[in-house]
Amino acid sequence: MKVFALTVAEGVVRERFLTPEGTRAKRQIPVGAFLLEHPAGRVLVDAGPPPVQRVLLRAIRSVRAGRFSASSQGLPQQLARHGVPPETIAHIVLTHLHWDHAGALREFPQAEVHVAGAELDALLHHGGWRLRYAGVALPAADRIRRVDFTTGPAWGPFAHTHDLFGDGQIRLVPTPGHTPGHLAVVVAPPGEPPLILCGDACYLASALRRGTGNGSTLGRPQDRNVAVAAVTQARLRELLELHPGARLLPSHDPEVWAELPRWPQPLPGRDPTLVKPGKP
């Protein structure tokens, strides 16, 4: 299995947005997504911001106190440029339903969309604007695959997990707190240490290792439930201790992303063969 990192947008935020230890100094951050080339089909982890991003951001900037700009090409265009048309994406796993992670869902017409049940319930029953889900348009119901972590095998510090293809290579684990149904994706090709694609469960890998949570904007915590987020972050630290070679890859960590090769180059330590054009 091959793993690719894609930058779908960039932003400028205050350091205190990322961590309570931060100042008012400004930092440039990425908005990242991942493409997984699995024998069962192509999998996207997060779908990036919506095509109408610039319009939405006029309203969102006042809340987030940040400035975001689209990449030179949106996620579907980046993939198509290198021989991966959007219709060849078989699965999309969403860490959560914020606009910068789930806004482009409708650009992938054939994909099954996997999302935590608690996240779906929050969107459908508790108001999109209040939970910062503005700009997310879900696909048709028959393409949504609800993931409920009430059953499934235990793994590490997690009581229940979901093995996407039943081979242990792509495992979904519950990481609520930032949003009610946030999840992380653990990628573990045979014989290799896991990659933990943790979305916004933590903004900075270094802060999580120090035991520091996400920051705030205009006095409001970035995590919907700070206490639950703290439990999630403790579990992620435990997971890192259980797998010393594991790598934590948050979606917005500028230090982590500065070291990652970008699509179409694969992440190091994996099959260096590039994606073959037109092959799912």
Side-chain angles (χ1 to χ4, degrees):
M1 183 169 62
K2 298 184 286 290
V3 181
F4 303 86
L6 301 99
T7 303
V8 294
E10 293 180 339
V12 177
V13 299
R14 305 283 186 186
E15 281 186 345
R16 61 179 56 174
F17 174 100
L18 300 171
T19 171
E21 303 168 328
T23 69
R24 289 179 54 81
K26 293 181 179 180
R27 297 286 304 276
Q28 183 167 323
I29 63 171
V31 176
F34 294 89
L35 173 66
L36 314 179
E37 284 277 331
H38 187 278
R42 287 179 171 141
V43 181
L44 274 181
V45 178
D46 289 337
V52 292
Q53 180 188 9
R54 290 185 180 85
V55 175
L56 287 170
L57 289 183
R58 294 192 186 104
I60 292 170
R61 280 176 183 163
S62 62
V63 176
R64 305 269 320 226
R67 293 179 177 273
F68 289 80
S69 61
S71 173
S72 57
Q73 289 188 318
L75 183 53
Q77 292 75 23
Q78 287 188 56
L79 294 172
R81 180 183 175 188
H82 293 283
V84 180
E87 57 269 21
T88 68
I89 300 297
H91 303 271
I92 297 174
V93 178
L94 296 175
T95 59
H96 60 301
L97 287 172
H98 281 170
W99 63 274
D100 54 329
H101 295 258
L105 285 176
R106 292 195 174 182
E107 302 298 299
F108 300 95
Q110 304 301 320
E112 296 182 1
V113 177
H114 305 259
V115 60
E119 194 76 349
L120 283 172
D121 292 343
L123 172 64
L124 297 175
H125 303 303
H126 298 291
W129 279 100
R130 187 164 64 87
L131 293 175
R132 304 175 190 166
Y133 294 155
V136 175
L138 292 175
D142 62 355
R143 286 177 42 219
I144 296 175
R145 303 294 178 262
R146 180 185 178 104
V147 180
D148 286 308
F149 293 106
T150 55
T151 59
W155 187 71
F158 302 98
H160 298 289
T161 63
H162 178 71
D163 190 335
L164 191 62
F165 296 122
D167 60 2
Q169 294 196 59
I170 303 176
R171 195 184 305 270
L172 314 186
V173 301
T175 53
H178 183 67
T179 60
H182 194 289
L183 62 80
V185 181
V186 181
V187 181
E192 298 187 23
L195 293 173
I196 306 169
L197 315 182
C198 65
D200 291 359
C202 72
Y203 285 150
L204 302 179
S206 59
L208 179 128
R209 292 179 184 275
R210 293 193 303 270
T212 303
N214 290 337
S216 61
T217 295
L218 303 177
R220 294 181 57 192
Q222 285 297 307
D223 294 328
R224 182 70 182 174
N225 189 317
V226 175
V228 171
V231 172
T232 280
Q233 291 157 10
R235 287 177 178 157
L236 289 174
R237 283 191 293 274
E238 184 178 345
L239 186 61
L240 290 171
E241 292 173 0
L242 289 170
H243 300 275
R247 190 168 188 188
L248 191 68
L249 301 179
S251 295
H252 303 302
D253 189 324
E255 285 81 16
V256 167
W257 280 80
E259 299 176 356
L260 296 181
R262 301 297 201 277
W263 165 263
Q265 297 295 327
L267 297 194
R270 283 158 176 81
D271 187 341
T273 305
L274 299 183
V275 175
K276 299 296 189 299
K279 274 194 174 184

